[in-house]
Amino acid sequence: MSEQAFKLGEDWLTAGKALEIANGKISIILSDETQQKIAKSWTIVQKIVDKGHPVYGINTGFGPLCTTKISKSKTHILQTNILQSHSVGVGNPIAKDIAKLMLILKVQSLAKGFSGIALKTLKRIIWHIENDAIPVVPSQGSVGASGDLAPLSHLFLPLIGLGKVEFKGEKITTATLFEQTGLEAIPLGPKEGLALINGTQFIAAHGVKVVAELHSLLAQADIIGAMMIEGLQGSVKPFYNELHALRPFKGNVHVAKRVKKLLKGSEIMEDHIDCEKVQDPYSIRCIPQVHGASRTAWLHLKELLEVELNSVTDNPVIIDEELTISGGNFHGQPLAMALDYACLAASELGNISDRRIYLALEGNSPGVPKLLMSDTGINSGYMILQYTTAALASENKGLCFPSSADSIPTSLGQEDHVSMGSIGARKALQVIGNVQKILAIELLTAAQAFEFRKPLKSGVFLDEVHNAVREQVAFAKKDRVFADDIEKGIEMIQNKTIINVVERVQKEHNISLKTNFSTEFEVY
């Protein structure tokens, strides 16, 4: 564990820090000041119960039962019941790392001291994080307003001795966990159950993964696109600063400068500097505009997500003894719309990548044979790899319908507008997974095209990237089971192999790919 510690409720949480906490690289602590704020908020809730004035979710029922008064003696039962009645999730469990992120994001929100949670409850959640005892959470059932009620209910069933957890490599019941660890169920106080399940942590945890995974795709799309430019001897002029200064979108400028630096010193580029080709197809020439627009969408999500990660999103909010507000901070709309935008941004990376793959197969670039193989006829070459990318790109288009455009009233009309952000968040990750596969295939085809430029060399970056590909996948002189190559390509994309190569080359040769906008686009 790192000596670095994150102060819950005080320090600024980012997607990157949330992932580092989840991976055990940063520890989490509750400072004395934060513990005092939590205790004060809890005390206010007890006073509300003692006074008997109706406050939603503390001494009233939930949703359409908000006018039903709950006696002081039954407020504890109310909070236990809500975790059980709202645990209605279905579908396959979400990934363990996302469930762990949900725990981290929830303790950050509760530690702000406006939720009336008991300190012992918060410390138990922290125990689950630190001991990697992660609740099993179904993937479906949230509509993204009143927060992510169903998944959060499942997430916190272990607090009351119910549900299942993944612990030491096994999925076990909470009862078994208690037997192994000596823990006992926690009796929930007034408002605690509601504080636990009201919030956007299912949406936001997926959002953290989207920010990280989409960032990786954006970086790799630039590198692979540059390699394809080399393989097809595209022009470097569309990446000149002079052009983008006339339409200075940050994302466009950032991508253009990065690609231009990746191509610097290339003998391949120099070889065709005086060729008669006037211009390249859009999928080559417009990389800055298309990749840049996706960068802008990513930046939008990153900025909104950071606000959400440092917010109080449950309900009601305990301001002080005189003011308790039943509002709508749990509504997922701010993230829902941004996640739909990010989903589209990821899909577009796949769309333009598929078009570059098609270009590579056409045989219209001098020196590069049709279907990327010299001996065709008996061999089909790389023809059918593009079928796969076309299928994946088409699938993504269907997944791009914005979830946030829909709303179905729930809770007998009390919740008459919902965000469906949970659905959009899951879809965004699904699209990102498909784009990983598309970029893997483009990496293979770009490397194959690149091979036909020998003995000419590229600059230091792309030559090293090409070498890294060849360590995993050999040049194809004849047909073989290309699914095996694709699997290796996907592993390279998921493991960020070519990103690591580029970072190594930067250090070894003291060359930087930084631009004026690197702080915004390369840090999360």
Side-chain angles (χ1 to χ4, degrees):
M1 182 72 72
S2 167
E3 293 183 3
Q4 183 182 8
F6 182 89
K7 294 180 181 178
L8 291 166
E10 296 180 48
D11 291 343
W12 185 256
L13 187 61
T14 65
K17 285 182 180 177
L19 289 166
E20 288 185 305
I21 293 169
N23 293 328
K25 295 179 180 178
I26 300 178
S27 60
I28 49 177
I29 59 172
L30 291 169
S31 71
D32 291 341
E33 182 181 350
T34 293
Q35 292 188 52
Q36 290 171 9
K37 287 172 64 178
I38 293 165
K40 181 179 179 181
S41 182
W42 180 84
T43 301
I44 292 172
V45 171
Q46 309 315 306
K47 289 180 179 179
I48 290 171
V49 174
D50 290 338
K51 290 178 181 178
H53 298 308
V55 175
Y56 175 73
I58 296 178
N59 49 20
T60 76
F62 308 112
L65 301 175
C66 60
T67 57
T68 303
K69 190 77 182 295
I70 305 298
S71 67
K72 179 179 178 180
S73 63
K74 293 182 178 179
T75 54
H76 296 277
I77 300 173
L78 178 70
Q79 301 305 317
T80 300
N81 282 351
I82 192 176
L83 284 186
Q84 298 182 79
S85 66
H86 287 51
S87 293
V88 294
V90 296
N92 294 327
I94 61 174
K96 180 185 175 184
D97 63 336
I98 297 179
K100 190 171 186 179
L101 284 168
M102 288 177 68
L103 292 174
I104 294 165
L105 305 192
K106 176 55 84 171
V107 292
Q108 168 72 350
S109 180
L110 295 176
K112 295 286 183 179
F114 295 93
S115 301
I117 198 83
L119 188 58
K120 65 178 181 180
T121 305
L122 201 55
K123 287 184 175 180
R124 173 62 66 82
I125 301 172
I126 292 172
W127 180 91
H128 277 272
I129 296 168
E130 292 178 339
N131 290 274
D132 207 35
I134 308 304
V136 176
V137 179
S139 57
Q140 295 170 295
S142 172
V143 296
S146 242
D148 297 307
L149 293 174
L152 284 169
S153 296
H154 285 276
L155 188 74
F156 293 117
L157 280 177
L159 297 182
I160 58 173
L162 303 176
K164 295 180 179 180
V165 297
E166 190 168 339
F167 184 58
K168 295 182 178 180
E170 292 185 290
K171 287 184 180 177
I172 58 175
T173 65
T174 299
T176 302
L177 176 72
F178 285 1
E179 289 173 6
Q180 293 180 6
T181 60
L183 295 175
E184 295 180 349
I186 292 179
L188 297 178
K191 192 184 178 297
E192 286 200 273
L194 189 61
L196 292 169
I197 72 169
N198 254 321
T200 60
Q201 283 74 36
F202 181 89
I203 300 173
H206 281 77
V208 168
K209 289 287 289 185
V210 170
V211 164
E213 297 296 334
L214 181 53
H215 181 268
S216 173
L217 291 186
L218 288 162
Q220 295 186 77
D222 290 349
I223 299 166
I224 297 167
M227 179 175 276
M228 190 65 89
I229 292 168
E230 291 275 56
L232 302 184
Q233 281 199 323
S235 172
V236 74
K237 284 186 177 179
F239 302 89
Y240 278 18
N241 298 337
E242 291 85 346
L243 174 67
H244 295 283
L246 303 178
R247 197 189 187 205
F249 288 111
K250 292 179 183 179
N252 302 24
V253 171
H254 183 68
V255 170
K257 286 186 176 181
R258 278 172 53 84
V259 173
K260 190 168 182 287
K261 288 180 179 181
L262 288 168
L263 296 171
K264 188 175 181 180
S266 167
E267 293 177 1
I268 300 169
M269 288 287 99
E270 289 294 325
D271 182 63
H272 102 121
I273 200 165
D274 295 320
C275 76
E276 296 180 0
K277 194 193 315 185
V278 176
Q279 59 185 21
D280 297 314
Y282 288 180
S283 60
I284 297 290
R285 195 188 344 155
C286 298
I287 285 176
Q289 290 77 11
V290 178
H291 290 197
S294 291
R295 289 264 184 181
T296 299
W298 176 88
L299 181 62
H300 183 61
L301 175 62
K302 182 192 82 163
E303 291 174 345
L304 294 186
L305 181 66
E306 284 190 16
V307 173
E308 191 78 341
L309 299 186
N310 297 282
S311 297
V312 177
T313 59
D314 65 295
N315 178 65
V317 173
I318 313 300
I319 304 298
D320 53 41
E321 288 190 36
E322 306 300 323
L323 183 59
T324 300
I325 301 175
S326 184
N329 276 10
F330 50 69
H331 203 293
Q333 194 78 353
L335 287 187
M337 296 179 73
L339 282 162
D340 284 336
Y341 184 19
C343 182
L344 178 62
S347 180
E348 280 300 287
L349 284 182
N351 282 346
I352 195 170
S353 176
D354 168 73
R355 292 297 82 213
R356 289 194 292 264
I357 293 166
Y358 189 90
L359 284 180
L361 304 182
E362 281 188 317
N364 290 337
S365 181
V368 177
K370 189 177 291 187
L371 302 175
L372 294 173
M373 200 170 282
S374 298
D375 185 13
T376 52
I378 191 172
N379 293 300
S380 296
Y382 280 68
M383 182 197 307
I384 307 301
L385 278 75
Q386 194 265 327
Y387 276 53
T388 301
T389 61
L392 291 166
S394 182
E395 183 177 312
N396 283 348
K397 292 170 189 175
L399 290 168
C400 278
F401 181 85
S403 297
S404 59
D406 184 33
S407 176
I408 298 176
T410 56
S411 198
L412 302 185
Q414 181 74 8
E415 298 165 12
D416 58 351
H417 182 279
V418 298
S419 75
M420 302 299 182
S422 56
I423 300 167
R426 289 192 294 110
K427 286 202 299 100
L429 283 178
Q430 191 175 344
V431 168
I432 284 169
N434 287 341
V435 176
Q436 287 178 343
K437 297 165 187 170
I438 295 172
L439 286 178
I441 292 173
E442 187 186 0
L443 179 62
L444 300 179
T445 52
Q448 185 78 1
F450 195 89
E451 199 92 26
F452 290 103
R453 296 302 170 198
K454 290 183 176 180
L456 295 176
K457 291 185 176 182
S458 180
V460 288
F461 287 109
L462 298 182
D463 267 342
E464 288 297 317
V465 169
H466 185 260
N467 290 338
V469 175
R470 285 290 166 255
E471 288 176 5
Q472 301 294 324
V473 180
F475 175 73
K477 294 182 179 179
K478 60 182 181 178
D479 287 350
R480 60 192 183 214
V481 180
F482 285 115
D484 297 337
D485 294 1
I486 294 170
E487 282 303 313
K488 291 177 181 176
I490 292 170
E491 286 178 14
M492 293 183 72
I493 296 294
Q494 293 176 340
N495 295 335
K496 304 180 183 179
T497 301
I498 63 175
I499 291 176
N500 294 333
V501 168
V502 167
E503 289 178 350
R504 173 176 58 79
V505 171
Q506 287 187 82
K507 291 178 182 177
E508 289 178 355
H509 294 267
N510 196 27
I511 305 172
S512 175
L513 292 182
K514 286 186 177 180
T515 76
N516 293 338
F517 306 113
S518 288
T519 301
E520 293 170 272
F521 288 116
E522 303 303 334
V523 179
Y524 61 86

